[in-house]
Amino acid sequence: MAVERTFSIIKPDATERNLTGGVNAVIEKAGLRIIAQKRIQMTRKQAETFYAVHSARPFFGELVDFMISAPVVVQVLEGENAIAKYRDVMGATDPSKAAEGTIRKLFAKSIGENSVHGSDAAETARIEIAQFFSGNEIAG
Ligand code: GDP
């Protein structure tokens, strides 16, 4: 299997509850390496750009407000099959449907405030990483 990179966000509900280390422990236990990481306060513009694909959805405004409500931790994760693996580690979008041991089952508060983001495909991973990191900030 190919070594891939994926983009991750530890969302405001998790940073607010001091769960950055807790989330990172699950990521690392799954064999993914955190090869870039920074804590930022996202701007409204950044959040709208990041979630542009959801701009027509009824929850878009709520989602953007949530993403800028507190700092987030943006990350690049690397490992074999990292994109699909991290989606598994995250668990279902709705934490009530997430499998045992997943980040969302362990930590998420609701379908909106669900603790983490992870890219869904190679192309989106590339675009999302480039939105938040420049080359020399990633050290794999
Ligand atoms: P993901 O890939 O599992 O993060 O899920 P999606 O791409 O479908 O949705 C993106 C994000 O939008 C989710 O992680 C949630 O934070 C948010 N979201 C999705 N569905 C809902 C919803 O029904 N209500 C609210 N408030 N937020 C939602």
Side-chain angles (χ1 to χ4, degrees):
M1 245 176 261
V3 173
E4 293 176 335
R5 290 179 176 182
T6 193
F7 179 72
S8 163
I9 304 177
I10 303 177
K11 294 184 179 181
D13 68 285
T15 62
E16 268 188 323
R17 287 176 291 152
N18 219 16
L19 291 170
T20 298
V23 170
N24 280 349
V26 180
I27 289 170
E28 292 186 331
K29 195 159 177 238
L32 292 164
R33 301 181 69 81
I34 301 163
I35 61 167
Q37 173 172 263
K38 59 188 172 188
R39 180 174 164 110
I40 61 167
Q41 173 62 54
M42 237 189 236
T43 64
R44 180 170 295 277
K45 181 94 185 74
Q46 278 179 312
E48 285 173 351
T49 299
F50 185 76
Y51 276 124
V53 67
H54 293 309
S55 60
R57 307 280 284 274
F59 57 80
F60 182 66
E62 202 178 310
L63 175 58
V64 170
D65 286 346
F66 165 59
M67 292 301 289
I68 64 174
S69 66
V72 298
V73 176
V74 291
Q75 305 175 307
V76 181
L77 310 181
E78 186 177 79
E80 282 197 3
N81 204 24
I83 296 164
K85 180 182 273 191
Y86 189 46
R87 299 284 301 182
D88 282 349
V89 171
M90 286 163 49
T93 308
D94 180 348
S96 69
K97 297 181 181 145
E100 289 299 328
T102 61
I103 292 168
R104 285 168 166 166
K105 179 73 174 184
L106 287 165
F107 301 128
K109 291 169 76 173
S110 66
I111 190 168
E113 301 194 16
N114 61 4
S115 300
V116 280
H117 165 85
S119 308
D120 60 4
E123 181 61 4
T124 41
R126 194 186 60 72
I127 292 166
E128 290 173 359
I129 290 169
Q131 188 185 346
F132 290 98
F133 290 98
S134 57
N136 69 354
E137 292 178 314
I138 303 168

